[in-house]
Amino acid sequence: DGNNNDQFCMLILEKSAPDMYRVTVINSGKPGLEHHAASAATPPKIKYQAALSFDGIPASRAEDDGLWAMLVLATATPDNSVYWKQPPALYDKFLPWLIGCPLEHYLASSIYCAEGERPLKPPCEASLDLRAGQYGGTGEWRALTYSLRFLLRDTGFSVMKSKLVKWHLRSQLLKLATKDLVPAKALSASERIM
């Protein structure tokens, strides 16, 4: 719709215990990525923690129909004034309600802690992978592949094995696209113009 705030995020909801959930937000660009941990350790690139995981969410909050209805309404409705205000409602309203505290407090106690201190709620290892932000309108693809990487790493895959799965996926998609182009060669010049 021409709005610079368009962004594709993935939400992964996992039941971690009979009455507890884990929610992971996968974001590959702005708006929203500014709420994720970042590192400038490898200049000139700034890498971000694309996956934010929130453990220990009570089932009463995670299974609340009102939350999910409002989240869909706020994010799926074009030009919705609730969503397009900065920061995005996902980070400013929905996640704090879900986790029971301001997002900044949660991040300070689980990710950003003083040197030598242990986090109160250590994040899952898979969410600590740093990734480059999106560029060139690749938000959907990046969010999907970051989600795949997060799920693979969370189940015990190494970084290298996760990369191999991603490359195999890309290879298969390229083969499918090439196969889809074969019928175009059989078209006559007049059919190609239409």
Side-chain angles (χ1 to χ4, degrees), residues 13 21 24 34 37 40 44 57 91 96 128 144 150 157-158 168 177 179 182 185 188:
L13 180 66
Y21 283 84
T24 303
E34 61 273 12
I57 297 173
Y91 295 93
L128 296 177
L144 288 170
F150 170 79
F157 277 61
S158 67
H168 185 68
K179 186 178 177 183
V182 170
K185 291 180 183 178
S188 67

Side-chain angles (χ1 to χ4, degrees), residues 114-173:
E115 202 167 313
E117 287 185 13
R118 297 178 59 100
L120 297 175
K121 296 179 180 179
C124 67
E125 184 181 333
S127 71
L128 296 177
D129 288 346
L130 297 176
R131 314 296 303 145
Q134 75 169 17
Y135 51 88
T138 60
E140 293 84 0
W141 171 253
R142 288 227 169 195
L144 288 170
T145 57
Y146 289 175
S147 299
L148 174 65
R149 180 186 173 106
F150 170 79
L151 291 170
L152 291 171
R153 295 274 292 125
D154 196 41
T155 57
F157 277 61
S158 67
V159 171
M160 187 54 68
K161 283 188 178 181
S162 298
K163 284 183 181 184
L164 288 173
V165 170
K166 179 183 169 186
W167 280 106
H168 185 68
L169 173 65
R170 291 173 84 176
S171 170
Q172 291 302 312
L173 289 173

Side-chain angles (χ1 to χ4, degrees), residues 1-7 71-86 89:
D1 63 6
N3 193 325
N4 291 333
N5 291 328
D6 292 347
Q7 180 57 29
L71 185 60
V72 168
L73 176 67
T75 59
T77 307
D79 296 325
N80 185 310
S81 61
V82 173
Y83 180 69
W84 297 122
K85 290 180 183 174
Q86 292 296 328

